Amino acid sequence: MNDFSLLETEIGHGLLLIEASAGTGKTFTIAGLVLRLLLERPGLTIDKILVTTFTELATAELRGRIRDLLRDGLGAFQAGKSDHDLIGAILQKYPDHRAAIQRLKDALANFDEAPIYTIHGFCQRVLAEQAFETGTLFDAELVTDERDLLREVTWDFWRRNFYSNDSLGVLVAIQGKITPKKLLKDLEELVKNPTLTILPKDLRSSAEAARQVEHALKEVRNVWPECASGIRAFFANPNWAKGDYKKAELLARVLEDLEQVASGKGASARQFESIELLAAEPIAKGVRKGFSLPKDPIFGTCQIAVDRSADFCTALRAEFHAWAPNELRRRKQAQNVLAFEDLLTRLDDALRGAGGSALAESIRQKYRAALVDEFQDTDPVQYSIFERIYQGSDATVALIGDPKQAIYAFRGADVFTYLNAARAIRRQFTLRTNWRSESGLVRGTNTVFDRPDSFRLDEIQFRPAQAGPRADQTPLLFQGKAETPFHI
């Protein structure tokens, strides 16, 4: 990976990856790339250079930094000199000052048209401008908080499945930790990550799984009478037990609950818990060394009931996962509303659809260059959008990010999306100079992380930074004193 020089490195066409650590001037590099593109590409105007980042705050900062650099560049070309290191070098590199002045004047005059957006803002604009191609209603309302809709879908699923005279399903579900709150959390995850695949795909239906639970409970009722006396004798002297099984009141409760289940007088959450306690796997862990369980079939029968209950819960969640996202989309369409994540998925779906190639070509013609900031925060859907628009084209696309930050999955980042994208990019560079920190801090950080396995994944390599030439001119003082900049 070569060092990227904002002045000398050829921008070129196609994909370009700039991998940079914190403090190495990513924002300034993006602003410099915009300046160079305007000077080097006749006909490439400010409204055709797309710049995206992750947050509204970062968007505002980028917009301000780009405008300031263009203004500084214009002033330097008009004066024929500059104290700014980059702009001073650019004055020498581009001798046609008259053409440069005109391009920068035009860019500043039309700067309000500069497409500098968050990724969601970019998708929203495309959906609005290409409503026919993307199948988006013109007056769709953007909702900033869709939690009420998510709760509505979740509770409707719960009511449809459990608000009946049969309490078995809800008891099993609650015992298996399936609650509306849990299903709502599942749906929130599916909304954030629509590319998730639910495995296994060949589960039996929850209705069939519920019948299997009924059958297993019937077997418990059938087996218990012939095992009851032996289990009572076994429980009467709990010198075999360890952990919770040593508690006499717990064993008494298990016996009482099993009698209730065997009588067929209904079921309760507590009785399901007693069946779990008598299942072969958990009770075996409660037996002290040197002792063994009786050969009674009740333990295996209870284990089957527990396993069938787990199957029911899994099938129930799988049905919810299959139904809820589609139902959520249907209700949003009926109400003509879009949430932030819908902006991404709608555009991605349109690009994947029958008219996707024409839509991508239309976007490419509008934005002849694209600079993607904070690329490490890109998730699979976001990357799919840029890939389908620009892959294989001669448009200039620079992806700027730091994969070391993506390992934390902050803001939904997916480190494997970044790495998969990087594998397909031939031209890769790094920003080496840290402009933010003292040289001692840079040196200390290099010392700690400069090893092959710092970030677990072989494809994430630590590239030692170098301190800027003026790193130590103004030392950081704490209560008037300089401190060692790196502490362990």
Side-chain angles (χ1 to χ4, degrees):
M1 186 172 285
N2 298 316
D3 289 356
F4 182 80
S5 168
L6 189 50
L7 185 67
E8 300 296 338
T9 300
E10 181 184 357
I11 298 176
H13 296 273
L15 289 171
L16 173 75
L17 178 68
I18 301 176
E19 192 172 289
S21 298
T24 53
K26 294 190 290 290
T27 302
F28 181 75
T29 298
I30 293 171
L33 285 170
V34 173
L35 175 61
R36 279 189 58 187
L37 285 168
L38 291 170
L39 295 175
E40 294 177 11
R41 305 274 176 89
L44 186 62
T45 50
I46 192 69
D47 61 311
K48 294 185 179 300
I49 303 175
L50 172 67
V51 181
T52 69
T53 188
F54 206 89
T55 66
E56 295 287 357
L57 189 63
T59 302
E61 182 186 5
L62 262 175
R63 182 174 288 274
R65 295 282 289 277
I66 292 171
R67 183 194 288 112
D68 289 346
L69 192 61
L70 298 186
R71 188 182 292 120
D72 290 345
L74 174 60
F77 276 109
Q78 289 172 330
K81 61 181 181 178
S82 175
D83 295 331
H84 192 291
D85 292 345
L86 174 67
I87 295 177
I90 284 178
L91 288 175
Q92 305 301 317
K93 187 174 182 180
Y94 304 102
D96 189 350
H97 288 197
R98 180 176 297 178
I101 289 170
Q102 189 58 53
R103 290 174 192 169
L104 294 178
K105 276 186 174 180
D106 291 343
L108 287 166
N110 298 296
F111 196 79
D112 286 346
E113 299 178 17
I116 304 171
Y117 310 125
T118 63
I119 178 65
H120 294 87
F122 163 66
C123 293
Q124 184 179 16
R125 182 166 290 265
V126 172
L127 291 173
E129 293 177 347
Q130 313 264 12
F132 287 114
E133 294 88 339
T134 59
T136 304
L137 295 176
F138 287 103
D139 58 345
E141 177 189 356
L142 180 64
V143 293
T144 57
D145 188 348
E146 61 178 334
R147 282 177 294 184
D148 286 345
L149 259 178
L150 299 181
R151 279 192 286 266
E152 180 184 302
V153 169
T154 302
W155 273 105
D156 281 354
F157 179 84
W158 189 262
R159 282 187 284 266
R160 190 181 70 178
N161 281 274
F162 294 131
Y163 278 31
S164 67
N165 294 327
D166 179 16
S167 62
L168 174 65
V170 70
L171 289 172
V172 173
I174 291 172
Q175 198 63 25
K177 307 298 187 291
I178 304 297
T179 62
K181 185 176 180 180
K182 171 65 177 174
L183 294 178
L184 177 60
K185 187 175 180 181
D186 284 356
L187 183 54
E188 289 172 343
E189 191 65 34
L190 287 167
V191 168
K192 286 191 297 183
N193 299 284
T195 60
L196 285 176
T197 300
I198 308 301
L199 297 176
K201 295 182 177 180
D202 55 350
L203 287 168
R204 62 169 61 96
S205 70
S206 63
E208 172 60 23
R211 285 191 289 271
Q212 294 289 333
V213 175
E214 285 276 21
H215 180 74
L217 289 175
K218 185 177 180 181
E219 285 300 305
V220 172
R221 295 188 188 104
N222 292 337
V223 168
W224 175 247
E226 63 185 79
C227 301
S229 60
I231 297 300
R232 287 194 192 94
F234 182 61
F235 277 11
N237 184 15
N239 59 352
W240 56 271
K242 62 181 180 180
D244 287 342
Y245 288 93
K246 292 189 298 184
K247 300 174 182 176
E249 65 274 16
L250 176 70
L251 300 181
R253 194 194 82 192
V254 169
L255 292 173
E256 178 187 342
D257 289 341
L258 264 294
E259 291 287 359
Q260 287 288 326
V261 171
S263 70
K265 293 181 180 179
S268 68
R270 198 186 86 171
Q271 288 161 3
F272 269 94
E273 184 180 347
S274 293
I275 291 173
E276 285 185 340
L277 288 167
L278 212 60
E281 291 179 8
I283 199 171
K285 295 177 182 177
V287 176
R288 292 169 55 197
K289 190 175 182 180
F291 291 84
S292 59
L293 293 172
K295 300 299 182 183
D296 289 300
I298 188 64
F299 303 116
T301 306
C302 286
Q303 184 65 54
I304 291 172
V306 169
D307 293 343
R308 295 296 175 266
S309 298
D311 290 344
F312 169 78
C313 292
T314 303
L316 183 73
R317 286 183 71 192
E319 287 181 0
F320 178 74
H321 296 159
W323 175 81
N326 293 328
E327 178 64 15
L328 181 64
R329 171 174 283 205
R330 186 192 68 77
R331 294 188 189 197
K332 286 177 180 177
Q333 288 176 334
Q335 298 176 29
N336 195 20
V337 296
L338 291 172
F340 279 117
E341 292 305 317
D342 298 322
L343 301 173
L344 303 175
T345 54
R346 289 282 181 93
L347 181 53
D348 188 48
D349 289 345
L351 289 166
R352 291 172 180 271
S357 296
L359 175 60
E361 176 62 24
S362 173
I363 298 172
R364 279 196 302 273
Q365 290 302 317
K366 184 174 180 62
Y367 307 114
R368 296 297 303 153
L371 311 177
V372 183
D373 184 28
E374 302 288 11
F375 183 62
Q376 79 278 347
D377 290 335
T378 299
D379 64 28
V381 175
Q382 293 168 13
Y383 178 63
S384 173
I385 290 169
F386 285 110
E387 184 180 38
R388 291 182 179 279
I389 294 171
Y390 289 109
Q391 188 76 23
S393 74
D394 63 350
T396 295
V397 182
L399 309 176
I400 302 98
D402 180 6
K404 299 187 297 299
Q405 296 181 39
I407 63 176
Y408 304 106
F410 178 57
R411 298 193 295 212
D414 182 348
V415 66
F416 300 104
T417 296
Y418 183 101
L419 296 179
N420 289 336
R423 291 188 195 107
I425 300 175
R426 183 176 56 84
R427 302 179 65 225
Q428 299 191 17
F429 299 89
T430 187
L431 297 176
R432 184 82 60 180
T433 302
N434 183 300
W435 302 95
R436 181 181 297 168
S437 306
E438 294 182 16
S439 59
L441 180 56
V442 174
R443 190 164 56 249
T445 304
N446 287 344
T447 302
V448 169
F449 289 102
D450 192 9
R451 49 183 291 160
D453 59 347
S454 287
F455 301 100
R456 291 292 298 274
L457 301 170
D458 291 339
E459 291 164 285
I460 302 181
Q461 293 295 315
F462 179 74
R463 308 184 193 285
Q466 61 189 28
R470 294 184 285 274
D472 299 321
Q473 280 187 357
T474 308
L476 176 66
L477 302 180
F478 181 70
Q479 295 182 347
K481 296 179 181 180
E483 287 199 347
T484 303
F486 195 103
H487 293 264
I488 295 178

